[in-house]
Amino acid sequence: MTMRLLVSGLLVSWFAFAASSGSVEEPDFPTFPFRFSARVEITAHLVDRSKPYPPWLRVIQVSYDYPAKKALAVVEQGYDEGKTFLRRYDNKSEYMVRGGRYAECQRSYLGETMPPPVLPHGLEFVGFETVEGFETEHWMEDFGVSRVHVYIKIRSEAEDRSRWPWRVTDEQVLEGVSVPLMTTEWKDFTVLSSLTDQSAPSSEDWAKLFDIPEPYDYRSCTRNIGGFPYMHIFHHYLRF
């Protein structure tokens, strides 16, 4: 604990010194992890929170495996609440499963290639910032009339300096005034660099996440012609 506090204190001091001296060295360009799980919270800032509809918050539990070309999204709150979306780019199929009173399963042909998770090269490094007590890298893509802010979280453990996309906010700029439109934030984030890690689920348990939810199977799901919309879980930079 003493070592962690010391490391955190040194990091804060370094960020403060770098910011005051103007000698901040730009970090490597950020990238997405290829295999992870996270709780994704999407906030619509312009929606009236005093009214029950439309919902201003959407919460999605995501399991994502780009190498295997699979992704799962369980909508826990907000628009499409109670629905599960399963994308199986590996076998060209996708599913929507709804629970509750009107339970159903729909399937559709998925003929396209899984979009790669890529941050735009137009992002420019703004600086290091402390946001809600976390040390972050602030990157921004500026279009003049709109801007996208990307925050990369930095883990400040003594032996772990990993970094990953954490929050993205897009905003409109009206007569010099910034108006936030939507923020997406990843919580309970776990990157699975290897399924052989002790902290990672077994390869069998991870693979089962992408099975058709019980009690359905391929033949018991109704065919849907046209498929389902993309799930955007970090602006349009990461979608499936």
Side-chain angles (χ1 to χ4, degrees), residues 9-239:
L10 290 173
L11 283 171
V12 171
S13 299
W14 182 85
F15 284 132
F17 169 76
S20 62
S21 63
S23 59
V24 176
E25 182 178 351
E26 182 171 325
D28 293 337
F29 194 81
T31 59
F32 284 111
F34 279 4
R35 182 183 285 123
F36 67 88
S37 62
R39 191 176 88 250
V40 179
E41 295 188 359
I42 304 172
T43 301
H45 295 288
L46 299 185
V47 173
D48 187 349
R49 299 190 182 189
S50 67
K51 298 180 180 179
Y53 193 86
W56 60 271
L57 177 66
R58 195 181 193 197
V59 180
I60 310 170
Q61 186 63 42
V62 172
S63 300
Y64 181 86
D65 194 332
Y66 184 73
K69 301 298 184 288
K70 304 174 184 179
L72 175 72
V74 181
V75 184
E76 298 179 344
Q77 184 178 337
Y79 181 70
D80 279 336
E81 181 175 339
K83 293 183 180 181
T84 294
F85 295 91
L86 174 63
R87 306 284 201 259
R88 293 292 304 268
Y89 291 87
D90 59 322
N91 62 19
K92 300 186 181 300
S93 61
E94 60 177 334
Y95 302 85
M96 186 284 294
V97 177
R98 173 170 31 201
R101 183 178 179 182
Y102 302 103
E104 65 172 332
C105 175
Q106 298 181 15
R107 60 177 169 85
S108 185
Y109 175 72
L110 185 61
E112 62 188 87
T113 302
M114 188 173 188
V118 178
L119 288 165
H121 292 296
L123 282 179
E124 295 185 356
F125 180 63
V126 177
F128 294 100
E129 296 181 14
T130 300
V131 181
E132 298 182 4
F134 298 109
E135 299 302 331
T136 70
E137 301 167 12
H138 180 190
W139 297 74
M140 182 174 68
E141 189 173 24
D142 193 342
F143 301 100
V145 296
S146 65
R147 291 191 289 252
V148 180
H149 299 270
V150 174
Y151 294 89
I152 307 298
K153 186 180 284 189
I154 306 169
R155 180 167 286 156
S156 58
E157 302 290 339
E159 298 180 356
D160 186 355
R161 292 285 294 144
S162 58
R163 48 202 284 270
W164 64 92
W166 170 52
R167 176 185 290 178
V168 56
T169 296
D170 63 302
E171 63 182 13
Q172 190 174 17
V173 181
L174 299 173
E175 298 180 350
V177 178
S178 299
V179 180
L181 302 177
M182 188 169 294
T183 294
T184 300
E185 184 174 317
W186 288 359
K187 298 185 176 182
D188 299 336
F189 175 80
T190 301
V191 61
L192 306 174
S193 56
S194 172
L195 294 180
T196 60
D197 293 344
Q198 291 184 353
S199 59
S202 68
S203 57
E204 292 81 6
D205 289 342
W206 179 251
K208 286 180 181 178
L209 287 175
F210 304 100
D211 289 342
I212 303 172
E214 295 182 351
Y216 300 102
D217 56 26
Y218 179 83
R219 293 187 179 278
S220 63
C221 295
T222 305
R223 184 181 180 188
N224 177 298
I225 299 176
F228 310 100
Y230 275 127
M231 299 294 296
H232 292 80
I233 64 168
F234 203 84
H235 199 44
H236 65 267
Y237 308 144
L238 198 157
R239 66 191 191 277

